[in-house]
Amino acid sequence: MTDPNGRPIVAELGRPETAEETWARKDAARTARRQHQTAFNLVIALIASLGIVLFLVAVVVRPDTTVDRTVDYQQIAAKANVDDVTLVAPPLPDGYSANRADFASKTTDGVDVWTVGFVTPDKQYLGVQQGIDANASWVSNQLDQRPSTGDRTIGDTEWTVYDRRAEGTDAGNHAYSLVSTFGKNTIVLSGTADDKAFRTVATAVSRELSE
């Protein structure tokens, strides 16, 4: 329907639009389209961001508290250039593996230190530290300055015990420790392993350093 001048009549108005009304209507339509496009773009951006996050979670290697690797601690000990000292690297039963083995010369306490980190058959940690000509300060630092809680004899060797298992996870890898001296070598065993594992490693270490 049109007016006598041929202009379309708007049903809601009952007459043709004025120029101002036409502009306002078109401007409102343009605004609505922009708002719709903005919302659509936001949704697309969120979907793309989520896709990137999922991709990174799937493919990026994340650190873990358990280091899943195996090192040949006996070979590393044999190749270490250390004069007149036997670096402890005893054979252990099946199920034990080492995920760390290194020698540090003159640490902050002025002590040469050989370290081996063992994973027990039940996936617990048991570390061996061998301080060469170790001083009291070095020993204390390895045990977080904690006092001993007793003594324990394994085979023919007496060990000083540092038992912090009652502290739970707060003790970390120092939940239980054994310390003994063999000549110029001070051995510190520490970890979360059970008594059986400590007895196995302590016996093997004593046997090697007593030969």
Side-chain angles (χ1 to χ4, degrees), residues 48-161:
S49 299
L50 179 60
I52 292 173
V53 171
L54 292 176
F55 172 79
L56 292 176
V57 170
V59 304
V60 174
V61 177
R62 291 161 292 174
D64 198 346
T65 54
T66 302
V67 180
D68 186 16
R69 61 170 181 165
T70 301
V71 300
D72 189 339
Y73 65 99
Q74 292 179 315
Q75 183 180 49
I76 295 173
K79 291 183 176 180
N81 186 20
V82 184
D83 295 331
D84 302 323
V85 174
T86 298
L87 298 184
V88 290
L92 292 175
D94 291 342
Y96 285 83
S97 62
N99 60 14
R100 175 188 177 185
D102 56 75
F103 180 80
S105 180
K106 303 303 178 188
T107 61
T108 54
D109 295 299
V111 178
D112 293 340
V113 182
W114 165 246
T115 302
V116 183
F118 289 110
V119 178
T120 65
D122 58 349
K123 305 305 179 184
Q124 294 299 310
Y125 177 76
L126 203 167
V128 178
Q129 288 184 293
Q130 176 181 359
I132 301 169
D133 291 325
N135 49 51
S137 175
W138 178 82
V139 175
S140 181
N141 286 338
Q142 307 320 302
L143 301 162
D144 295 338
Q145 317 292 332
R146 295 304 183 97
S148 64
T149 57
D151 297 301
R152 177 180 177 183
T153 300
I154 301 175
D156 297 326
T157 303
E158 184 173 326
W159 298 82
T160 302
V161 178

